[in-house]
Amino acid sequence: QVQLVESGGGLAQAGGSLRLACAVSGRTFSAYATGWFRQPPGKEREFVAAITWSGSSTDYANSVKGRFTVSRDNAKDTVFLQMNSLKPEDTAVYYCNAGTNIAARTARSDYWGQGTQVTVSS
């Protein structure tokens, strides 16, 4: 089974930056992309960004395009989400998923991390 641990969340002011990290261990498959999803309080989980195993392809939700950047360091089995120009509406629990279909923006239910809280104040 795959285990994912998110870190890097915390408090930020509007316009500030945070960098999230997702450490992946266990059995993974290169055919899957790694995705970032978020769940604001009282709302459904939504797609944020994804990156293929090679890092050659990325995808972003329109709400974060131009502000967030997803990358990965395969030598350290870690995927990052650099979040710049943060807005209060970015406040959510952020999750990474190791079973993401980058084209469909869907995630396997058994490949989630525990999440990390991001709070952006105005």
Side-chain angles (χ1 to χ4, degrees), residues 18-105:
L18 288 171
R19 190 176 78 154
L20 307 184
C22 174
V24 183
S25 63
R27 186 173 66 254
T28 59
F29 301 94
S30 61
Y32 286 120
T34 303
W36 286 97
F37 297 75
R38 67 187 183 187
Q39 187 165 18
K43 297 183 178 180
E44 295 184 356
R45 194 171 299 184
E46 64 183 19
F47 172 81
V48 177
I51 185 169
T52 58
W53 184 87
S54 67
S56 61
S57 296
T58 58
D59 188 35
Y60 299 92
N62 288 337
S63 59
V64 307
K65 192 172 298 182
R67 300 188 298 119
F68 291 8
T69 302
V70 64
S71 62
R72 70 190 310 153
D73 183 347
N74 287 342
K76 297 183 177 181
D77 297 321
T78 303
V79 178
F80 302 95
L81 184 67
Q82 179 67 45
M83 305 187 297
N84 298 326
S85 302
L86 284 165
K87 303 176 180 179
E89 51 262 45
D90 294 321
T91 296
V93 178
Y94 283 71
Y95 300 88
C96 64
N97 179 275
T100 298
N101 184 314
I102 193 168
R105 298 179 172 182

